[in-house]
Amino acid sequence: MAKLKFGKPESPPIRPITASGQPSASVWRRFISQWDYQLMILPAILFLVIFSYGPMWGVLMSFQEYNLFKGFWDSEWVGFTHFRMFFESPEFWRIMRNTFVISILKLAIGFPAPIILALMLNEIGGIAFKRIVQTITYIPHFISWVVVSGLVFSMLAVDGGPVNEVLLKLGFIQEPINWMSTPNYFWGILVSANVWKEIGFGSIVYLAAIIGIDPSLYEAAAIDGASRFKQIFKITLPGIAPVIVIFLILGIGNVLNAGFEDIMMLTRNLNNGILMPVADVIDTYVYQMGIHNQRYSYATAAGLFKSLLSILLLVSANTIARRLGRESLW
């Protein structure tokens, strides 16, 4: 009788790189055998190369005093002058404060919101009701910020706005509030609009991860007397933890992208001077300096600073996650 060997099965050795540092023939054979899959991702790779990596040489403009008439090659090189001007500008700290505060608020509120929605949808027993809720929460993602901003202005309008009308009838306020012209309310309005718009679409990945959890784990927990809440905290959340960590790392790396289109629309293309002290972030500042003021090199320097800081945050978050024994990007 053959002896049964228990333990961890041995995986075949992976030798993608030869001693000379060149990819082995097996890698090329596998690449060729997957030609149909490679062909599917080819348009995405070309898109990134043409529109993301190709224009990157333009960041050299931040080290120039770019002249539109002289062109890129004949413009004067000025080194780090524009970076120093950006750091010493009176708007620098205000812009950085707004960028970090808005980003952290979006991350702190907008990141767990899809997870909570996915957990709630997973607990819904009725398939028809579940699909209706999913559809209602997904739709806002496909609505333009132009339309969303119009809805926000209508809801918060001073004359006849539903929010003011409800608060007046409930006696919480004595007179209508001009929400969109009060700086103290802007961050809350901006974050709330973002959460409402993206919560449904963001929950798709977490729902897919929850579906992939072995149902027998829930059956065993139910037999042991675990409540639904205990099953969520002991099975569901640990089961989707790798997905949560990956998206958290990406969210931290994306923390300087406080917003652009949403801020532009909610401030009516930056024409609301009352809100600009709390609404102006790096992206809108680059837009103002580069497009409105035609300070191309200065705007490029500010944008490059933001990109470098984002890379630093991404690498730091990934390193921390890897050292804690969690999933990482590389």
Side-chain angles (χ1 to χ4, degrees), residues 66-144:
Y66 180 74
N67 188 303
L68 187 62
F69 299 99
K70 291 183 179 180
F72 180 80
W73 301 111
D74 294 329
S75 297
E76 179 185 0
W77 294 88
V78 295
F80 292 93
T81 301
H82 294 293
F83 290 93
R84 186 173 65 252
M85 292 172 60
F86 175 59
F87 297 147
E88 295 175 354
S89 65
E91 299 91 357
F92 176 76
W93 291 111
R94 173 174 61 84
I95 292 169
M96 296 304 297
R97 181 205 63 183
N98 294 340
T99 301
F100 275 102
V101 170
I102 293 174
S103 297
I104 291 173
L105 286 174
K106 285 184 177 180
L107 185 64
I109 300 174
F111 179 77
I115 301 174
I116 296 173
L117 178 61
L119 294 174
M120 295 173 64
L121 289 174
N122 186 58
E123 297 300 317
I124 296 177
I127 301 299
F129 181 73
K130 183 176 182 179
R131 290 178 177 176
I132 292 173
V133 174
Q134 286 179 310
T135 303
I136 294 174
T137 56
Y138 293 167
I139 287 176
H141 172 78
F142 302 99
I143 301 176
S144 169

Side-chain angles (χ1 to χ4, degrees), residues 47-284:
F47 179 86
L48 290 174
V49 170
I50 295 173
F51 295 102
S52 297
Y53 291 99
M56 285 184 67
W57 63 272
V59 300
L60 296 176
M61 190 187 301
S62 60
F63 303 99
Q64 293 180 317
E65 189 62 57
Y66 180 74
N67 188 303
L68 187 62
F69 299 99
K70 291 183 179 180
F72 180 80
W73 301 111
D74 294 329
S75 297
E76 179 185 0
W77 294 88
V78 295
F80 292 93
T81 301
H82 294 293
F83 290 93
R84 186 173 65 252
M85 292 172 60
F86 175 59
F87 297 147
E88 295 175 354
S89 65
E91 299 91 357
F92 176 76
W93 291 111
R94 173 174 61 84
I95 292 169
M96 296 304 297
R97 181 205 63 183
N98 294 340
T99 301
F100 275 102
V101 170
I102 293 174
S103 297
I104 291 173
L105 286 174
K106 285 184 177 180
L107 185 64
I109 300 174
F111 179 77
I115 301 174
I116 296 173
L117 178 61
L119 294 174
M120 295 173 64
L121 289 174
N122 186 58
E123 297 300 317
I124 296 177
I127 301 299
F129 181 73
K130 183 176 182 179
R131 290 178 177 176
I132 292 173
V133 174
Q134 286 179 310
T135 303
I136 294 174
T137 56
Y138 293 167
I139 287 176
H141 172 78
F142 302 99
I143 301 176
S144 169
W145 267 109
V146 177
V147 178
V148 173
S149 64
L151 293 174
V152 172
F153 276 97
S154 298
M155 294 289 294
L156 302 178
V158 177
D159 299 326
V163 175
N164 277 318
E165 292 294 328
V166 171
L167 293 178
L168 284 171
K169 291 184 180 299
L170 293 177
F172 290 112
I173 58 176
Q174 301 301 321
E175 58 182 13
I177 299 175
N178 193 349
W179 301 94
M180 299 308 299
S181 294
T182 307
N184 292 338
Y185 300 132
F186 179 75
W187 289 344
I189 295 171
L190 178 67
V191 174
S192 300
N194 272 274
V195 172
W196 174 79
K197 190 175 186 299
E198 301 297 338
I199 184 173
F201 192 79
S203 65
I204 294 177
V205 177
Y206 299 110
L207 277 172
I210 292 174
I211 293 174
I213 298 175
D214 188 356
S216 62
L217 297 176
Y218 295 100
E219 296 173 1
I223 293 174
D224 291 339
S227 63
R228 294 300 301 178
F229 282 103
K230 283 189 176 181
Q231 293 179 29
I232 290 173
F233 285 101
K234 298 295 184 180
I235 300 176
T236 308
L237 287 177
I240 64 175
V243 179
I244 295 176
V245 172
I246 292 296
F247 277 89
L248 180 60
I249 293 173
L250 294 175
I252 294 175
N254 203 39
V255 76
L256 291 181
N257 292 325
F260 178 75
E261 187 179 4
D262 50 352
I263 295 176
M264 290 279 290
M265 293 297 101
L266 291 177
T267 57
R268 294 302 188 187
N269 292 323
L270 308 178
N271 291 326
N272 193 333
I274 299 176
L275 294 179
M276 291 318 297
V278 295
D280 204 11
V281 295
I282 294 180
D283 287 332
T284 58

Side-chain angles (χ1 to χ4, degrees), residues 99-100 249-258 282-283 303-317 330:
T99 301
F100 275 102
I249 293 173
L250 294 175
I252 294 175
N254 203 39
V255 76
L256 291 181
N257 292 325
I282 294 180
D283 287 332
L304 180 58
F305 166 74
K306 172 204 161 187
S307 300
L308 294 176
L309 195 56
S310 297
I311 293 174
L312 178 62
L313 290 172
L314 178 63
V315 173
S316 301
W330 57 80

Side-chain angles (χ1 to χ4, degrees), residues 10-29:
E10 296 182 359
S11 57
I14 301 175
R15 292 184 293 271
I17 305 297
T18 61
S20 61
Q22 299 296 326
S24 64
S26 61
V27 173
W28 293 113
R29 283 198 299 267

Side-chain angles (χ1 to χ4, degrees), residues 38-50:
Q38 307 299 336
L39 195 61
M40 289 176 61
I41 66 172
L42 182 60
I45 295 176
L46 291 177
F47 179 86
L48 290 174
V49 170
I50 295 173

